[in-house]
Amino acid sequence: MLGNFSYSNPTRLYFGENSLDFLSTELSNFGKNVMLTYGGGSIKKSGLYEKVVKILKENDKVIFEDPGVMPNPTVEKLYEGCKIAKENNIDLILAVGGGSVCDYSKAVSVSAWCDEDPWDKYYLRMEEPNNKIIPVGCILTMVGTGSEMNGGSVITNHDSKLKIGHVFGDNVFPKFSILNPVLTYTLPKYQMTAGFFDIMSHILEQYFSGNDDNTSDYIMEGLLKSLIYSSEIAVNEPENYEARSNIMWIATWALNTLVAKGKTTDWMVHMIGQSIGAYTDATHGMTLSAVSMAYYRYIMPYGLDKFKRYAINVWNVNPENKADDEIALEGLASMENWMNKIGLVMNIKDLGVTDDMLVGIADGTFIMDGGYKVLTHEEIINILKASM
């Protein structure tokens, strides 16, 4: 393990089929005014909304609803949520939904009492909050983002064609999160598999950095092997509790900051994918799957030892009588086969990207320097072209 670091994670997790029973325990820690954030109404169809509202009322909470959180939360929606939160002196924001609802709720939590434009402060200037922060709790209905146990919050600004994530500190992490795998059963296959790849991408963004013997890498290899195995079961048996529970747990540990320790981390797939999302509003996990193969084949020579290790330890490639690059490429081919098998989008054309968008997408891609290759603008365009 290289470098010096500190680690803490203040989020309390409740996991399992009966985890919603613990909501009352947590509600006693907060004031009476609760802002209930959710998406397009699927929680009402599933009956979850009714259960949550019942628990809130049993605990004498006053409920202020903020529905309609979209898959890629916009800055306009953020302003709307801030108005509700501030005008009603909200004591707790309860996010019921997937990663976008959790991300949005954290954005509102730091922005409601901000005395300037939160988009400028938090997403352009990347400053930290110095104002009142509203506590957030999460009830998860979709896995992938890991937003239930981290400080990340991604917001889209369509006017400027930017989709930006800000990773806030411990004070913005959800105070608690409820993880019931059964609540993920009704998710459409497209959204489910997109979440699976979001998990994989989170792990790979951290894995493909550094060359030391790092315990974090061994943890990530185990998470990846479990994800690959369980995802193939879940695609065919969406209500297989063992598979869905494993995937939910993997998603949380993929991005709750643990496996990043001792790593420089890459994040270029996410930067490119987020820029694509700003142009197309495509499902986040699919923007990642559509560019990953082109990106990883491009940077493989610069991190060959790790790509070789990935092939052997994760994809069980037999290295006998093969050159290092052959082993690495075979590993990536195995990854590509798995991606096709579970039904991921494999090119950006299918997400609505056209040739005339490529320069703009490259312009909106933030350049990171923690991976094996610092990309140029021209290299990003070439990767995008290879992803068409």
Side-chain angles (χ1 to χ4, degrees):
M1 298 286 285
L2 296 178
N4 303 288
F5 57 81
S6 64
Y7 177 73
S8 73
N9 194 310
T11 303
R12 182 181 296 277
L13 295 181
Y14 298 95
F15 190 97
E17 292 180 83
N18 299 320
S19 52
L20 189 61
D21 294 347
F22 292 95
L23 179 57
S24 289
T25 302
E26 285 295 334
L27 289 175
S28 64
N29 297 320
F30 305 98
K32 67 176 184 177
N33 294 336
V34 176
M35 180 171 163
L36 184 62
T37 61
Y38 56 95
S42 61
I43 65 167
K44 291 186 176 179
K45 294 176 184 176
S46 69
L48 178 59
Y49 170 86
E50 185 177 352
K51 292 177 182 177
V52 171
V53 168
K54 182 174 183 289
I55 294 170
L56 289 171
K57 289 181 177 178
E58 287 173 350
N59 285 270
D60 299 320
K61 302 300 181 183
V62 180
I63 305 169
F64 299 89
E65 295 197 19
D66 183 15
V69 180
M70 58 287 291
N72 295 302
T74 64
V75 68
E76 291 83 8
K77 181 62 179 172
L78 173 59
Y79 297 149
E80 178 185 316
C82 288
K83 186 172 185 291
I84 296 170
K86 190 171 184 179
E87 287 181 353
N88 296 289
N89 198 24
I90 293 299
D91 297 304
L92 171 70
I93 301 173
L94 184 59
V96 184
S100 292
V101 178
C102 298
D103 273 25
Y104 166 77
S105 298
K106 283 180 277 185
V108 173
S109 79
V110 297
S111 301
W113 294 99
C114 182
D115 59 4
E116 54 186 304
D117 186 341
W119 172 257
D120 290 342
K121 180 179 177 67
Y122 297 131
Y123 294 92
L124 293 182
R125 303 201 304 270
M126 288 291 172
E127 295 177 6
E128 293 306 307
N130 54 3
N131 49 262
K132 175 182 174 181
I133 299 171
I134 304 170
V136 172
C138 300
I139 301 173
L140 206 59
T141 63
M142 175 184 174
V143 300
T145 69
S147 190
E148 67 275 7
M149 204 180 187
N150 66 39
S153 176
V154 181
I155 296 295
T156 298
N157 189 321
H158 286 132
D159 288 342
S160 56
K161 298 291 187 187
L162 291 173
K163 182 178 178 181
I164 303 176
H166 186 143
V167 181
F168 294 95
D170 289 10
N171 54 350
V172 183
F173 280 46
K175 302 304 179 187
F176 66 91
S177 287
I178 292 169
L179 281 61
N180 178 355
V182 175
L183 297 179
T184 68
Y185 285 178
T186 58
L187 201 65
K189 181 181 178 181
Y190 186 88
Q191 300 298 330
M192 177 182 72
T193 55
F196 293 171
F197 194 78
D198 197 13
I199 301 166
M200 173 169 271
S201 188
H202 289 159
I203 300 171
L204 295 182
E205 296 277 32
Q206 299 166 94
Y207 182 77
F208 286 122
S209 65
N211 293 299
D212 62 312
D213 183 37
N214 189 311
T215 298
S216 294
D217 288 334
Y218 293 90
I219 296 171
M220 286 188 275
E221 287 167 355
L223 293 173
L224 286 165
K225 289 174 78 71
S226 182
L227 174 65
I228 293 161
Y229 177 77
S230 292
S231 65
E232 293 185 9
I233 295 172
V235 165
N236 295 307
E237 303 174 42
E239 296 189 11
N240 184 304
Y241 183 83
E242 185 173 70
R244 299 304 290 269
S245 63
N246 283 337
I247 293 167
M248 180 172 255
W249 196 232
I250 295 163
T252 299
W253 287 95
L255 202 62
N256 67 0
T257 75
L258 175 70
V259 297
K261 299 310 172 187
K263 305 289 298 180
T264 56
T265 73
D266 187 351
W267 297 111
M268 276 312 304
V269 169
H270 270 68
M271 295 303 100
I272 298 170
Q274 286 178 184
S275 190
I276 290 170
Y279 274 76
T280 64
D281 255 343
T283 300
H284 172 64
M286 296 305 188
T287 68
L288 306 178
S289 66
V291 301
S292 282
M293 295 316 303
Y295 175 72
Y296 285 127
R297 285 185 171 122
Y298 183 77
I299 69 161
M300 185 200 78
Y302 303 96
L304 185 57
D305 287 344
K306 180 58 71 66
F307 279 90
K308 175 186 174 183
R309 172 176 169 168
Y310 174 63
I312 296 169
N313 291 0
V314 175
W315 295 104
N316 302 314
V317 171
N318 182 354
E320 191 174 350
N321 298 321
K322 296 171 186 172
D324 288 355
D325 61 339
E326 291 178 305
I327 297 167
L329 286 171
E330 189 174 336
L332 290 178
S334 296
M335 175 179 164
E336 187 173 34
N337 288 338
W338 169 78
M339 293 169 71
N340 280 311
K341 186 175 184 178
I342 68 169
L344 295 168
V345 174
M346 301 301 291
N347 68 81
I348 59 178
K349 273 187 177 179
D350 288 349
L351 300 176
V353 175
T354 56
D355 290 336
D356 61 312
M357 294 180 185
L358 298 185
V359 172
I361 291 170
D363 289 342
T365 299
F366 291 83
I367 305 295
M368 310 299 281
D369 60 5
Y372 293 123
K373 176 76 169 71
V374 179
L375 298 181
T376 65
H377 186 270
E378 183 180 0
E379 286 173 320
I380 293 171
I381 291 177
N382 288 338
I383 289 167
L384 289 168
K385 287 179 178 178
S387 302
M388 292 287 276

